[in-house]
Amino acid sequence: MLLDAMIFSLIIGLLRRGKLEGLADLPIKKIGLIISAFLIQYILVFFGERGYQLFSKIGVYLHIFSYVLLLIALWYSRDIKGMKLIGIGVAINFIAILANGGRMPVSAKALLKADMGDMLLLLNSKSYVIHTLLTEKSHLKFLTDIIPLPHPYPKPRVLGVGDIVMSIGLFILIQCSMLRKRSK
């Protein structure tokens, strides 16, 4: 979802005659932590989607660790406009993940509405440690991935409140950075 929000935000910024150079001037601190967090999550998804049980025992701990890294980095850059909202969205997702044993629950009903039924088998596998199916035993269901984005959305998906808050924060961050007035 964040990639979609970033692309949308960049297009809107350019339509508003914003400058991409403004993004290069962002004073983001602890960028290495952000990159590490995304790298950990990418590795977990990559191997999980391919059925490798390489991380089946420690994957949820790595998932939690990636969120800790991300929250630390966001804290250090919290003064950048939009970054607090991104941090709140990450925290919302992190709370839902912690409450559910290190995995984000995803609604089967929402997956089917988004025409993503093929994900159901993956979510039941031991190799996929990022998400799990939403059940009656899931906690804080309103914070989990329960909102379907079906066709005609270009890439159907299921998201949660935290994803929406992060996307709004990212939009604000990109707009403010691209449209910032420069002194000449």
mmCIF file of all heavy atoms in Angstrom, residues 2 6 39 60 113 156 179-181:
data_model
loop_
_atom_site.group_PDB
_atom_site.id
_atom_site.type_symbol
_atom_site.label_atom_id
_atom_site.label_comp_id
_atom_site.label_asym_id
_atom_site.label_seq_id
_atom_site.Cartn_x
_atom_site.Cartn_y
_atom_site.Cartn_z
ATOM 1 N N LEU A 2 1.987 1.226 0.694
ATOM 2 C CA LEU A 2 2.827 2.414 0.768
ATOM 3 C C LEU A 2 3.409 2.791 -0.596
ATOM 4 O O LEU A 2 3.522 3.979 -0.906
ATOM 5 C CB LEU A 2 3.956 2.215 1.778
ATOM 6 C CG LEU A 2 3.560 2.349 3.235
ATOM 7 C CD1 LEU A 2 4.759 2.166 4.136
ATOM 8 C CD2 LEU A 2 2.891 3.670 3.517
ATOM 9 N N MET A 6 2.907 6.293 -2.358
ATOM 10 C CA MET A 6 4.054 7.085 -2.769
ATOM 11 C C MET A 6 3.919 7.509 -4.240
ATOM 12 O O MET A 6 4.121 8.677 -4.572
ATOM 13 C CB MET A 6 5.360 6.306 -2.564
ATOM 14 C CG MET A 6 6.569 7.124 -2.903
ATOM 15 S SD MET A 6 8.174 6.434 -2.435
ATOM 16 C CE MET A 6 7.966 4.708 -2.573
ATOM 17 N N LEU A 39 14.100 -4.209 4.635
ATOM 18 C CA LEU A 39 14.850 -5.354 4.126
ATOM 19 C C LEU A 39 14.456 -6.635 4.866
ATOM 20 O O LEU A 39 14.229 -7.678 4.245
ATOM 21 C CB LEU A 39 16.353 -5.102 4.246
ATOM 22 C CG LEU A 39 17.272 -6.118 3.595
ATOM 23 C CD1 LEU A 39 16.991 -6.234 2.106
ATOM 24 C CD2 LEU A 39 18.723 -5.733 3.827
ATOM 25 N N VAL A 60 8.553 -14.466 13.284
ATOM 26 C CA VAL A 60 7.703 -13.484 13.976
ATOM 27 C C VAL A 60 8.553 -12.538 14.821
ATOM 28 O O VAL A 60 8.238 -11.358 14.947
ATOM 29 C CB VAL A 60 6.603 -14.145 14.831
ATOM 30 C CG1 VAL A 60 5.551 -14.788 13.959
ATOM 31 C CG2 VAL A 60 7.145 -15.107 15.828
ATOM 32 N N LYS A 113 -13.334 -10.586 -1.317
ATOM 33 C CA LYS A 113 -13.921 -9.398 -1.952
ATOM 34 C C LYS A 113 -12.907 -8.710 -2.866
ATOM 35 O O LYS A 113 -13.274 -8.119 -3.866
ATOM 36 C CB LYS A 113 -14.394 -8.405 -0.895
ATOM 37 C CG LYS A 113 -15.767 -8.667 -0.382
ATOM 38 C CD LYS A 113 -16.222 -7.527 0.501
ATOM 39 C CE LYS A 113 -17.613 -7.818 1.024
ATOM 40 N NZ LYS A 113 -18.086 -6.796 1.957
ATOM 41 N N PRO A 156 -5.501 -4.935 -6.525
ATOM 42 C CA PRO A 156 -6.361 -5.217 -5.378
ATOM 43 C C PRO A 156 -5.560 -5.692 -4.168
ATOM 44 O O PRO A 156 -4.550 -6.368 -4.305
ATOM 45 C CB PRO A 156 -7.283 -6.321 -5.891
ATOM 46 C CG PRO A 156 -7.328 -6.102 -7.361
ATOM 47 C CD PRO A 156 -5.931 -5.646 -7.717
ATOM 48 N N LEU A 179 6.607 20.703 -2.531
ATOM 49 C CA LEU A 179 6.076 22.044 -2.742
ATOM 50 C C LEU A 179 6.707 23.105 -1.837
ATOM 51 O O LEU A 179 6.274 24.254 -1.819
ATOM 52 C CB LEU A 179 4.550 22.038 -2.548
ATOM 53 C CG LEU A 179 3.822 21.155 -3.561
ATOM 54 C CD1 LEU A 179 2.392 20.907 -3.131
ATOM 55 C CD2 LEU A 179 3.881 21.763 -4.935
ATOM 56 N N ARG A 180 7.733 22.697 -1.112
ATOM 57 C CA ARG A 180 8.409 23.623 -0.205
ATOM 58 C C ARG A 180 9.022 24.776 -1.005
ATOM 59 O O ARG A 180 9.656 24.567 -2.025
ATOM 60 C CB ARG A 180 9.511 22.897 0.564
ATOM 61 C CG ARG A 180 10.118 23.709 1.642
ATOM 62 C CD ARG A 180 11.088 22.957 2.523
ATOM 63 N NE ARG A 180 10.947 21.516 2.430
ATOM 64 C CZ ARG A 180 11.983 20.689 2.247
ATOM 65 N NH1 ARG A 180 13.194 21.147 2.155
ATOM 66 N NH2 ARG A 180 11.792 19.401 2.174
ATOM 67 N N LYS A 181 8.821 25.978 -0.519
ATOM 68 C CA LYS A 181 9.395 27.154 -1.188
ATOM 69 C C LYS A 181 10.879 27.196 -0.886
ATOM 70 O O LYS A 181 11.318 27.016 0.231
ATOM 71 C CB LYS A 181 8.736 28.455 -0.669
ATOM 72 C CG LYS A 181 7.245 28.477 -0.831
ATOM 73 C CD LYS A 181 6.870 28.740 -2.255
ATOM 74 C CE LYS A 181 5.378 28.905 -2.381
ATOM 75 N NZ LYS A 181 4.749 28.090 -3.352
#
